[in-house]
Amino acid sequence: FILFIFSQCHSGELIIPEGTTIIPDYQYAYCSEFTGTLNIPNTVTYIGGWAFMYCSGLTGSLIIPDSVDISYLFFFMFE
């Protein structure tokens, strides 16, 4: 399924559900309250541009499966 919620940000660990296949553009943009390591599930096949822009509260490792197609804009994700 496509994770497409543009939800309000919350504080704490960001958990992307297993079974998610696409993280669209701007999905978690400006969610600086997220903390911890960002783990991308093995089911994700694409991460859109600016999906994690200004998620400056994330710390630790960034774990992305080899099979993920990443938008070139994904790398502008942190402050």
Side-chain angles (χ1 to χ4, degrees):
F1 66 93
I2 298 172
L3 187 63
F4 193 75
I5 52 176
F6 289 101
S7 66
Q8 293 182 358
C9 301
H10 63 275
S11 61
E13 185 178 9
L14 170 58
I15 300 173
I16 299 172
E18 191 69 36
T20 300
T21 56
I22 295 173
I23 300 173
D25 295 351
Y26 301 100
Q27 179 64 50
Y28 297 108
Y30 300 98
C31 292
S32 61
E33 297 85 13
F34 289 130
T35 58
T37 298
L38 177 58
N39 293 303
I40 308 296
N42 289 328
T43 55
V44 172
T45 58
Y46 179 76
I47 300 173
W50 298 291
F52 299 96
M53 181 172 66
Y54 297 116
C55 289
S56 57
L58 294 171
T59 59
S61 302
L62 173 61
I63 302 167
I64 303 173
D66 292 335
S67 60
V68 176
D69 181 19
I70 301 172
S71 167
Y72 70 96
L73 297 171
F74 173 79
F75 294 102
F76 291 101
M77 65 182 211
F78 296 112
E79 192 172 37

